[in-house]
Amino acid sequence: ISIAYNRPRELSSSQLETLNKAFSDVVPDYDKDGKTDIKWTNNLYRSFDQQVEYNGGVVPSVQQQTANNEALEQINYLVISGQFNFMLLDKAVFEEMSTGFYKISDLVEGDYSSITYEGRAVYFHATAFAKSHPELASILPKDTLICICERDMKMNKNLDKEIALLKAILEYNPNEE
């Protein structure tokens, strides 16, 4: 399964290993080879306010802003091309994305309205999965959102797997591993 993580800060190799280890609890071994295959893409993007904060209160240079805008274009390309549909997004990225996202209520049964953002994303740290994996709190910012890009069903051949992953995160029970 492919997961796009779009964030405001760098992600180290050890942090990526921690993410892989944790997510192996909710991603099945689809090809039955004894390991969980998760394809990650890590895109660094900061909103203007995050850029100013990162620069110590200084307005980012034109070059920094251009590079940042190119990063957002790359994220949009990955979504539009269908390479990544299941996303962990910083709220600032979610708000600036040009694509739509499925309504959570259209994907899963149950009332998750108290942990959704605009009805189309779930606050990651409010999920049972995140609460059972406290090591992720230091990696994923507190406003990280989970969402699935809305597209023509013919273009998204992995939608069933992505919905299953969303359900597994929402309904996670460490006692059932």
Side-chain angles (χ1 to χ4, degrees), residues 109-126:
E109 293 180 11
D111 182 11
Y112 294 101
S113 59
S114 65
I115 63 170
T116 61
Y117 180 70
E118 295 186 2
R120 296 185 181 275
V122 173
Y123 283 101
F124 177 78
H125 290 288

Side-chain angles (χ1 to χ4, degrees), residues 4 6 41 43 71-87 96-101 148-152 154-156:
N6 303 290
T41 184
N43 298 297
L72 184 61
E73 288 176 20
Q74 176 65 21
I75 295 166
N76 277 316
Y77 170 76
L78 290 171
V79 171
I80 291 167
S81 69
Q83 294 181 47
F84 291 89
N85 299 308
F86 190 96
M87 303 191 116
E96 294 193 33
M97 292 286 290
S98 65
T99 187
F101 300 98
I148 298 177
C149 298
E150 189 172 29
R151 64 180 64 257
D152 185 315
K154 294 174 190 164
M155 288 182 65
N156 188 353

Side-chain angles (χ1 to χ4, degrees), residues 161-176:
K161 290 178 182 177
E162 294 161 352
I163 292 171
L165 176 54
L166 176 61
K167 285 181 182 178
I169 290 170
L170 290 170
E171 299 171 357
Y172 183 74
N173 182 344
N175 299 323
E176 293 179 8

Side-chain angles (χ1 to χ4, degrees), residues 11-23 40 139:
L11 188 65
S12 71
S13 59
S14 65
Q15 290 174 319
L16 186 58
E17 284 179 37
T18 301
L19 283 171
N20 268 325
K21 186 173 189 254
F23 274 81
W40 291 88
I139 299 172

Side-chain angles (χ1 to χ4, degrees), residues 85-103:
N85 299 308
F86 190 96
M87 303 191 116
L88 296 173
L89 297 177
D90 181 77
K91 191 192 297 186
V93 177
F94 179 89
E95 291 171 348
E96 294 193 33
M97 292 286 290
S98 65
T99 187
F101 300 98
Y102 283 107
K103 288 182 180 178

